[in-house]
Amino acid sequence: MAESSGTGRDPEAVSRFVEHFAAQLVEAGMTRMPARVFAALLASDTGVLTSAELGEQLRVSPAAVSGAVRYLSQVRMVSREREPGSRRERYRVHGDQWYEALTNRETVLRRWEDALREGVGSLGADTPAGRRLTETLAFFEFVEKEVEAMMERWRTHREERFGGSD
């Protein structure tokens, strides 16, 4: 692993962490390769690695890295950027990746809410299915408000504890 030279860290220990944390992400529902790429970026000192560095560290093909990064970019957990003076891309994980991921989920929740409202209208609010959809809708509306309030508390807490952003 190119980045670890000079940091005094054991590359095997880093690899064990990456695989262990990736396994936890997979257990939570993330696909295996994006989980491994994300964990590798998170464990890097700079938070930035190229496709070649990720492939070497994880012992996977450039195509596997590319597919993983495409997914992670879509869910806003990593960003792509050009390496200065090169056509090579590098991938960055940000300190606020969890905030971004949860914020992105709010959009998904709103779409689900809209679909549920439509379902209640189609099935009838007084039917057993309509009541179930109404309760599910109420749950998502509750979660959306709670996430919004929690994110505001997080921004305040983060500022107090860590100062400005990345």
PDB file of all heavy atoms in Angstrom, residues 8 29 41 50 59 65 72 93 109 114 133 153 159 162:
ATOM      1  N   GLY A   8       4.406   4.574   9.668  1.00  0.00           N
ATOM      2  CA  GLY A   8       4.661   3.710  10.801  1.00  0.00           C
ATOM      3  C   GLY A   8       3.552   2.714  11.059  1.00  0.00           C
ATOM      4  O   GLY A   8       3.579   2.007  12.054  1.00  0.00           O
ATOM      5  N   GLY A  29     -26.011  -3.898   4.552  1.00  0.00           N
ATOM      6  CA  GLY A  29     -26.712  -3.841   3.274  1.00  0.00           C
ATOM      7  C   GLY A  29     -25.936  -3.291   2.096  1.00  0.00           C
ATOM      8  O   GLY A  29     -26.434  -3.275   0.976  1.00  0.00           O
ATOM      9  N   LEU A  41     -10.592   3.992   1.493  1.00  0.00           N
ATOM     10  CA  LEU A  41     -10.469   5.450   1.441  1.00  0.00           C
ATOM     11  C   LEU A  41     -10.552   6.052   2.841  1.00  0.00           C
ATOM     12  O   LEU A  41      -9.775   6.945   3.188  1.00  0.00           O
ATOM     13  CB  LEU A  41     -11.560   6.047   0.550  1.00  0.00           C
ATOM     14  CG  LEU A  41     -11.345   5.887  -0.946  1.00  0.00           C
ATOM     15  CD1 LEU A  41     -12.623   6.187  -1.709  1.00  0.00           C
ATOM     16  CD2 LEU A  41     -10.208   6.774  -1.416  1.00  0.00           C
ATOM     17  N   THR A  50      -5.970   6.829  -5.812  1.00  0.00           N
ATOM     18  CA  THR A  50      -6.257   6.612  -7.230  1.00  0.00           C
ATOM     19  C   THR A  50      -6.824   5.208  -7.410  1.00  0.00           C
ATOM     20  O   THR A  50      -6.738   4.361  -6.511  1.00  0.00           O
ATOM     21  CB  THR A  50      -4.986   6.741  -8.089  1.00  0.00           C
ATOM     22  OG1 THR A  50      -4.092   5.686  -7.737  1.00  0.00           O
ATOM     23  CG2 THR A  50      -4.320   8.106  -7.903  1.00  0.00           C
ATOM     24  N   ARG A  59      -6.267  -5.629  -3.987  1.00  0.00           N
ATOM     25  CA  ARG A  59      -5.970  -6.761  -4.870  1.00  0.00           C
ATOM     26  C   ARG A  59      -7.176  -7.094  -5.755  1.00  0.00           C
ATOM     27  O   ARG A  59      -7.658  -8.225  -5.798  1.00  0.00           O
ATOM     28  CB  ARG A  59      -5.544  -7.985  -4.057  1.00  0.00           C
ATOM     29  CG  ARG A  59      -4.256  -7.778  -3.296  1.00  0.00           C
ATOM     30  CD  ARG A  59      -3.869  -9.025  -2.495  1.00  0.00           C
ATOM     31  NE  ARG A  59      -2.711  -8.782  -1.678  1.00  0.00           N
ATOM     32  CZ  ARG A  59      -2.750  -8.443  -0.386  1.00  0.00           C
ATOM     33  NH1 ARG A  59      -3.912  -8.302   0.211  1.00  0.00           N
ATOM     34  NH2 ARG A  59      -1.653  -8.242   0.299  1.00  0.00           N
ATOM     35  N   VAL A  65     -12.855  -1.590  -9.152  1.00  0.00           N
ATOM     36  CA  VAL A  65     -12.752  -0.282  -8.476  1.00  0.00           C
ATOM     37  C   VAL A  65     -13.702   0.702  -9.142  1.00  0.00           C
ATOM     38  O   VAL A  65     -14.433   1.434  -8.467  1.00  0.00           O
ATOM     39  CB  VAL A  65     -11.302   0.245  -8.492  1.00  0.00           C
ATOM     40  CG1 VAL A  65     -11.243   1.692  -8.001  1.00  0.00           C
ATOM     41  CG2 VAL A  65     -10.398  -0.646  -7.655  1.00  0.00           C
ATOM     42  N   LEU A  72     -20.535   4.441  -5.155  1.00  0.00           N
ATOM     43  CA  LEU A  72     -20.251   5.336  -4.024  1.00  0.00           C
ATOM     44  C   LEU A  72     -20.458   6.802  -4.397  1.00  0.00           C
ATOM     45  O   LEU A  72     -20.883   7.598  -3.561  1.00  0.00           O
ATOM     46  CB  LEU A  72     -18.827   5.105  -3.509  1.00  0.00           C
ATOM     47  CG  LEU A  72     -18.588   3.747  -2.833  1.00  0.00           C
ATOM     48  CD1 LEU A  72     -17.099   3.505  -2.638  1.00  0.00           C
ATOM     49  CD2 LEU A  72     -19.347   3.659  -1.524  1.00  0.00           C
ATOM     50  N   VAL A  93     -12.838  10.614  -0.017  1.00  0.00           N
ATOM     51  CA  VAL A  93     -13.873  10.485   0.986  1.00  0.00           C
ATOM     52  C   VAL A  93     -13.780  11.749   1.840  1.00  0.00           C
ATOM     53  O   VAL A  93     -12.691  12.231   2.125  1.00  0.00           O
ATOM     54  CB  VAL A  93     -13.697   9.196   1.829  1.00  0.00           C
ATOM     55  CG1 VAL A  93     -12.445   9.228   2.656  1.00  0.00           C
ATOM     56  CG2 VAL A  93     -14.894   8.943   2.700  1.00  0.00           C
ATOM     57  N   LEU A 109     -36.620   9.066   1.122  1.00  0.00           N
ATOM     58  CA  LEU A 109     -37.785   9.027   2.005  1.00  0.00           C
ATOM     59  C   LEU A 109     -38.948   9.824   1.426  1.00  0.00           C
ATOM     60  O   LEU A 109     -40.099   9.378   1.463  1.00  0.00           O
ATOM     61  CB  LEU A 109     -37.434   9.570   3.395  1.00  0.00           C
ATOM     62  CG  LEU A 109     -36.698   8.639   4.339  1.00  0.00           C
ATOM     63  CD1 LEU A 109     -36.340   9.367   5.630  1.00  0.00           C
ATOM     64  CD2 LEU A 109     -37.505   7.395   4.643  1.00  0.00           C
ATOM     65  N   ASP A 114     -44.328  10.016  -1.094  1.00  0.00           N
ATOM     66  CA  ASP A 114     -45.229  10.337  -2.211  1.00  0.00           C
ATOM     67  C   ASP A 114     -45.912   9.076  -2.743  1.00  0.00           C
ATOM     68  O   ASP A 114     -47.120   9.074  -3.008  1.00  0.00           O
ATOM     69  CB  ASP A 114     -44.462  11.034  -3.350  1.00  0.00           C
ATOM     70  CG  ASP A 114     -44.011  12.431  -2.981  1.00  0.00           C
ATOM     71  OD1 ASP A 114     -44.523  12.998  -1.994  1.00  0.00           O
ATOM     72  OD2 ASP A 114     -43.118  12.958  -3.698  1.00  0.00           O
ATOM     73  N   LEU A 133     -50.556   1.328   5.025  1.00  0.00           N
ATOM     74  CA  LEU A 133     -49.791   2.324   4.273  1.00  0.00           C
ATOM     75  C   LEU A 133     -49.792   3.664   4.991  1.00  0.00           C
ATOM     76  O   LEU A 133     -48.773   4.364   5.019  1.00  0.00           O
ATOM     77  CB  LEU A 133     -50.354   2.485   2.855  1.00  0.00           C
ATOM     78  CG  LEU A 133     -50.203   1.300   1.910  1.00  0.00           C
ATOM     79  CD1 LEU A 133     -50.753   1.671   0.530  1.00  0.00           C
ATOM     80  CD2 LEU A 133     -48.778   0.831   1.806  1.00  0.00           C
ATOM     81  N   ARG A 153     -28.399  19.253  14.813  1.00  0.00           N
ATOM     82  CA  ARG A 153     -27.629  19.070  16.054  1.00  0.00           C
ATOM     83  C   ARG A 153     -26.216  18.593  15.736  1.00  0.00           C
ATOM     84  O   ARG A 153     -25.250  19.004  16.368  1.00  0.00           O
ATOM     85  CB  ARG A 153     -28.340  18.087  16.994  1.00  0.00           C
ATOM     86  CG  ARG A 153     -29.599  18.660  17.613  1.00  0.00           C
ATOM     87  CD  ARG A 153     -30.178  17.794  18.713  1.00  0.00           C
ATOM     88  NE  ARG A 153     -30.345  16.393  18.388  1.00  0.00           N
ATOM     89  CZ  ARG A 153     -31.427  15.860  17.809  1.00  0.00           C
ATOM     90  NH1 ARG A 153     -32.456  16.640  17.494  1.00  0.00           N
ATOM     91  NH2 ARG A 153     -31.501  14.571  17.577  1.00  0.00           N
ATOM     92  N   GLU A 159     -19.072  21.362  14.586  1.00  0.00           N
ATOM     93  CA  GLU A 159     -18.392  22.653  14.613  1.00  0.00           C
ATOM     94  C   GLU A 159     -17.701  22.865  15.961  1.00  0.00           C
ATOM     95  O   GLU A 159     -16.553  23.283  16.024  1.00  0.00           O
ATOM     96  CB  GLU A 159     -19.381  23.787  14.340  1.00  0.00           C
ATOM     97  CG  GLU A 159     -18.760  25.172  14.340  1.00  0.00           C
ATOM     98  CD  GLU A 159     -17.755  25.398  13.232  1.00  0.00           C
ATOM     99  OE1 GLU A 159     -17.913  24.811  12.142  1.00  0.00           O
ATOM    100  OE2 GLU A 159     -16.798  26.162  13.458  1.00  0.00           O
ATOM    101  N   PHE A 162     -14.821  19.833  16.119  1.00  0.00           N
ATOM    102  CA  PHE A 162     -13.777  19.731  15.100  1.00  0.00           C
ATOM    103  C   PHE A 162     -13.493  21.027  14.371  1.00  0.00           C
ATOM    104  O   PHE A 162     -12.612  21.066  13.503  1.00  0.00           O
ATOM    105  CB  PHE A 162     -14.154  18.650  14.061  1.00  0.00           C
ATOM    106  CG  PHE A 162     -14.345  17.292  14.656  1.00  0.00           C
ATOM    107  CD1 PHE A 162     -15.606  16.753  14.800  1.00  0.00           C
ATOM    108  CD2 PHE A 162     -13.257  16.553  15.098  1.00  0.00           C
ATOM    109  CE1 PHE A 162     -15.783  15.492  15.350  1.00  0.00           C
ATOM    110  CE2 PHE A 162     -13.429  15.299  15.655  1.00  0.00           C
ATOM    111  CZ  PHE A 162     -14.692  14.759  15.780  1.00  0.00           C
TER     112      PHE A 162
END
